[in-house]
Amino acid sequence: MAVNGVYIVLGEANTVVALLNKARRQYQLSHQPPTLEDTEPLLRNFADLKEVLNEVADLGDMNPLTYLSPFLDVIKAQNTNGPITEAALSSVAKFLSYGMIDANSIKAANAVESVAYAVVHTKFIGGKSSGSDECVLYKILLVLRSLLLSPPGALLSNEAVCDMMQSCFRIVFEQHLSPLLRKAAEATLSDMTQLIFTRLPTFHEDARHPYIRKLVSEQLWSFCFCWFVFPLSLNFASVFVTLISRLKGVPFFDFLSESLSRFTVIRKVFGK
C-alpha cells in the first residue's frame, strides 16, 4: 500500500469529524434536545485513529478494520444525520475504489464482512427533504456495488451477498422513492447478478451441503435444464432479476443457493 493511503484516510476522517462537530454546534445553538450526544464516542474513535495513523507509514501494515471501524460506526449510528452518514459512506466507497483493502491479506475477509454488515444496517436521522435522504440511499447502492465488484468482494460469504442484494430489492420496490433511485437500484442488482453468474466456474459443490442433498433427493432437473439450454451469451442478469421479482413467499437465499447449485451441477454433468 502506498504511503498516500495514510493521507487519504486522514483526509476522509477530517471530513467526517468536521460534519460531526458542525451538527453538534447546530443542535446546541438551536436549543434542541441533545439527540447527537452519542457523537462523543464517534469523535473519540477518530481521534484514536489519527494517533495510530501518525505512527505508521504504510496501511498495508495495519488491519483494515483499524481504519474502517470509525467510519463503519458512523454508518451504523442511529443519532447521526443524513449528511454525516453520506460522508462516511463516501469514504468507504473511496477506500474500495482505490483498492486500499488487499484481497490477499488474511484480515481482508473479516474487513469486507464488516463493511457489508454496516452498510446493510445503515441508520440515520431523516431530514426534512426526501431528496437528501435519497442521497444516502444512493450512496448505499454505490458502496454495495463497489464492494461486491472489488477483488476482496470475492471473500464475502453467501449470507452477506444475500443481505446486500435484499437491500437493493427493498429500494427497488419502495413506491415512495423516486423513479431515478429505483432505476439505480435495478442497475445495481443487474451488475451484482451478472458478476455472480460470471463466477459460476469458480464455485465448488459440497456434497454435504443441505441444498446439494435436496437437489439429489428431489431430482429437480427441469429448472437446471432451462439454464443449460440458454446460450452463454444470454443476459443472465435480466433473466435472474425477472425471476426473483416474481417470487412470492420464497426466501431469496434459498432460491439463490438452489438455483446456483443446480446450474453448476447440470453444467458438470454435461461437461460444459
Side-chain angles (χ1 to χ4, degrees):
M1 177 62 62
V3 176
N4 287 339
V6 175
Y7 298 109
I8 292 173
V9 176
L10 283 173
E12 295 301 316
N14 290 333
T15 300
V16 177
V17 168
L19 289 174
L20 286 170
N21 288 325
K22 178 182 178 181
R24 187 170 59 172
R25 288 194 301 268
Q26 289 177 343
Y27 275 88
Q28 290 174 348
L29 293 175
S30 61
H31 303 289
Q32 295 183 7
T35 55
L36 293 181
E37 60 184 2
D38 289 343
T39 59
E40 285 295 338
L42 300 177
L43 290 171
R44 285 198 299 269
N45 290 340
F46 281 106
D48 295 339
L49 174 61
K50 290 180 181 179
E51 292 181 1
V52 174
L53 292 176
N54 289 331
E55 300 295 330
V56 299
D58 190 349
L59 284 184
D61 299 332
M62 298 175 56
N63 183 344
L65 276 179
T66 302
Y67 60 85
L68 285 172
S69 293
F71 298 94
L72 301 183
D73 290 340
V74 171
I75 293 173
K76 294 182 294 183
Q78 298 183 3
N79 294 328
T80 52
N81 58 31
I84 296 174
T85 305
E86 182 183 355
L89 288 166
S90 297
S91 299
V92 175
K94 182 177 292 187
F95 299 156
L96 292 171
S97 63
Y98 286 0
M100 295 171 61
I101 302 178
D102 185 6
N104 297 321
S105 171
I106 59 175
K107 304 290 186 178
N110 191 24
V112 293
E113 286 286 325
S114 298
V115 172
Y117 179 85
V119 177
V120 168
H121 296 85
T122 300
K123 299 176 182 178
F124 63 97
I125 300 174
K128 298 180 180 179
S129 171
S130 60
S132 61
D133 294 343
E134 290 194 2
C135 290
V136 180
L137 297 178
Y138 177 75
K139 287 295 182 180
I140 291 175
L141 294 174
L142 178 63
V143 176
L144 292 179
R145 181 186 182 279
S146 300
L147 178 61
L148 187 60
L149 271 64
S150 65
L155 303 175
L156 287 166
S157 64
N158 293 335
E159 290 78 6
V161 175
C162 174
D163 290 340
M164 293 165 63
M165 299 189 74
Q166 283 182 330
S167 296
C168 296
F169 270 110
R170 282 194 291 267
I171 296 177
V172 170
F173 292 112
E174 282 291 345
Q175 298 297 326
H176 70 278
L177 297 177
S178 66
L180 181 60
L181 180 62
R182 294 170 62 190
K183 286 294 184 181
E186 289 181 11
T188 301
L189 271 174
S190 178
D191 292 340
M192 296 169 71
T193 306
Q194 185 176 5
L195 177 69
I196 291 175
F197 276 96
T198 58
R199 289 179 177 172
L200 279 177
T202 66
F203 293 172
H204 301 283
E205 307 100 60
D206 184 358
R208 298 169 297 178
H209 197 282
Y211 292 114
I212 297 296
R213 293 200 300 267
K214 185 177 180 181
L215 170 65
V216 175
S217 62
E218 295 181 358
Q219 296 293 312
L220 298 177
W221 296 103
S222 57
F223 182 84
C224 307
F225 188 75
C226 290
W227 283 111
F228 171 74
V229 297
F230 283 158
L232 293 180
S233 59
L234 185 65
N235 188 343
F236 285 114
S238 299
V239 176
F240 190 72
V241 172
T242 302
L243 289 173
I244 291 292
S245 64
R246 294 178 179 176
L247 287 179
K248 293 183 179 179
V250 179
F252 173 73
F253 180 57
D254 292 350
F255 176 81
L256 176 63
S257 300
E258 291 188 25
S259 60
L260 293 183
S261 299
R262 293 169 186 173
F263 180 63
T264 306
V265 170
I266 198 67
R267 289 185 63 187
K268 183 176 181 180
V269 170
F270 286 89
K272 298 293 183 180

